[in-house]
Amino acid sequence: MDVLIIKTAAIGDVLRTTVLLPALHRQFDKVTVTWITSPYAVPLLSCNPYVTHLYSITAGRCPEVDARRFDWVISLDEDEEASCLAASVRWRRFSGVFQDIEGARHYTSDMAEWFGMGLLRSPEEGGLVQANALKRANTASYPELLYKCIGLWPPVERPQLVLRPASVERMRRWMLDHCAAPSQDVIGVNSGAGARWRYKRLSEEKTAAVARSLAELSRAVILLLGGEDEVQRNARIERACANDRIISGPSVPLEDFAALIGCCDAVLSSDSLAMHIAISLGIPVTAFFGPTSAAEIEVFNRGSKIETPLSCRTCYLANCDQIPNCMDAIETTSLVSETLRAVKPRKVLTSSHYAS
């Protein structure tokens, strides 16, 4: 069985889609998986033992697959670049999004339960208004929906992230040098999020309040996590806390960032890449949600989910004039207590988490 998966964005969504890989190998004989993704997501897949060939998409092209014919193409992106590529690939079975000769994008009927909650829902079927209503009403997780749509056998597997030993060692050394004795718990706090959904983020003031409470109620180091966009934000939060056990994490490449999360004993996170990394590595995670769907996220019995109490949650709106907004309405005490409840003795990454 020669399978092609096209999943390029967003990076966290690429990672959570790895739930398909063990199921494909369990269900079919002699499976080879070719995965086309964005250049930015390659580090999250490059060591995965279930991925036979890994390529990145450039300007809607991937020459490495031009001459191949696949038994099954699974196309999981709604954007024009990926759907155009999907339409150009030869296949025997196709599931997901493709672009027709007139440039319109469609999804196959087997994937309707998932893509029918997205941007491609046709005006005749209620368009985006109906899609968002279905998202709000949905109670199934993303992995459950994927397995159901394309007919994979349960149990649903956890996403897979395999790290390079060098990344793990670099971040272990950084942790020992900057913030923790070997016996000290580390709680990662990732309160930022991507620019698309502004109200997925906690405010800097609320993040500082949460971090101070976590430090006061535990002996843990509180590690402020984030990408390049959060460097200055986390520096301001650290200064506002004025506590030597509340520190900003380093600005590092993606794979080192994942290894840094793997060094934490628990993580408090927005609906973001950090959350998906923690879930994939089995780190206990407390995830909080406002404009996006908590139901779609499966924590695999390694954490908890906190939703805003506002009835307008899961709105998928980029802007909002609600006061208080969904993040402000989440009680600080809930974020703190759930995170502390998740803290376990220091977790050591096993060989299953990094490449040989």
Side-chain angles (χ1 to χ4, degrees):
M1 169 71 79
D2 200 3
V3 180
L4 171 64
I5 297 175
I6 302 173
K7 181 60 187 169
T8 66
I11 298 180
D13 289 345
V14 171
L15 183 54
R16 70 174 178 169
T17 301
T18 59
V19 296
L20 297 179
L21 296 173
L24 287 168
H25 283 268
R26 186 176 67 232
Q27 191 163 329
F28 302 102
D29 293 330
K30 298 180 181 178
V31 174
T32 62
V33 174
T34 299
W35 193 308
I36 298 175
T37 192
S38 74
Y40 307 104
V42 165
L44 298 180
L45 299 171
S46 59
C47 295
N48 195 302
Y50 288 126
V51 178
T52 313
H53 305 288
L54 177 62
Y55 305 119
S56 58
I57 188 171
T58 304
R61 292 289 312 282
C62 182
E64 293 87 348
V65 302
D66 284 349
R68 294 175 60 185
R69 182 182 182 90
F70 293 92
D71 296 309
W72 192 5
V73 173
I74 304 173
S75 172
L76 297 173
D77 280 315
E78 296 173 318
D79 65 273
E80 182 176 358
E81 183 180 50
S83 60
C84 181
L85 173 64
S88 69
V89 175
R90 295 187 298 165
W91 46 266
R92 293 182 176 87
R93 176 184 175 186
F94 187 96
S95 298
V97 178
F98 62 95
Q99 184 170 290
D100 66 23
I101 59 174
E102 296 178 348
R105 280 164 280 166
H106 310 274
Y107 49 84
T108 54
S109 59
D110 58 344
M111 295 296 298
E113 193 166 353
W114 170 245
F115 286 110
M117 295 190 293
L119 297 171
L120 298 186
R121 190 175 186 89
S122 69
E124 295 77 19
E125 295 180 311
L128 188 58
V129 172
Q130 178 63 12
N132 284 341
L134 291 171
K135 266 200 179 284
R136 284 190 291 271
N138 172 59
T139 59
S141 70
Y142 176 75
E144 289 172 332
L145 287 167
L146 281 190
Y147 273 50
K148 180 181 177 181
C149 286
I150 62 178
L152 295 179
W153 301 336
V156 173
E157 303 278 353
R158 196 173 72 199
Q160 296 197 330
L161 176 57
V162 182
L163 303 172
R164 296 187 192 279
S167 290
V168 175
E169 184 57 28
R170 276 194 298 272
M171 292 301 96
R172 281 177 173 163
R173 288 200 305 266
W174 187 92
M175 296 283 282
L176 290 172
D177 290 344
H178 290 83
C179 67
S183 61
Q184 191 168 19
D185 288 329
V186 177
I187 299 174
V189 174
N190 192 99
S191 66
R196 185 179 181 186
W197 308 114
R198 183 158 60 101
Y199 290 100
K200 289 201 299 186
R201 306 191 294 258
L202 288 184
S203 68
E204 293 182 20
E205 295 76 16
K206 191 158 193 168
T207 303
V210 168
R212 283 193 295 265
S213 292
L214 288 171
E216 290 166 2
L217 295 172
S218 73
R219 294 178 57 84
V221 167
I222 313 305
L223 182 61
L224 303 175
L225 299 168
E228 289 185 9
D229 293 342
E230 282 77 43
V231 170
Q232 298 302 318
R233 182 179 194 270
N234 285 344
R236 291 191 296 269
I237 294 168
E238 180 181 353
R239 289 194 298 269
C241 290
N243 184 315
D244 60 6
R245 284 192 289 113
I246 301 173
I247 67 170
S248 299
S251 178
V252 292
L254 176 57
E255 193 169 13
D256 284 5
F257 178 65
L260 183 66
I261 291 173
C263 292
C264 294
D265 297 281
V267 170
L268 171 67
S269 180
S270 59
D271 179 5
S272 63
L273 175 60
M275 177 195 71
H276 292 295
I277 290 172
I279 291 170
S280 300
L281 293 176
I283 305 300
V285 60
T286 301
F288 52 87
F289 300 85
T292 57
S293 171
E296 287 179 13
I297 302 302
E298 174 59 68
V299 297
F300 296 91
N301 298 314
R302 296 288 291 170
S304 60
K305 298 183 287 187
I306 297 175
E307 292 185 82
T308 181
L310 298 185
S311 60
C312 55
R313 60 184 176 270
T314 318
C315 64
Y316 284 89
L317 295 176
N319 296 296
C320 173
D321 57 6
Q322 175 78 28
I323 300 176
N325 64 50
C326 52
M327 289 294 105
D328 290 340
I330 297 177
E331 292 185 359
T332 299
T333 53
S334 297
L335 296 168
V336 172
S337 62
E338 284 297 306
T339 302
L340 291 176
R341 194 164 66 89
V343 177
K344 308 289 184 188
R346 173 165 291 278
K347 183 180 186 301
V348 178
L349 291 179
T350 66
S351 59
S352 64
H353 292 113
Y354 56 86
S356 59

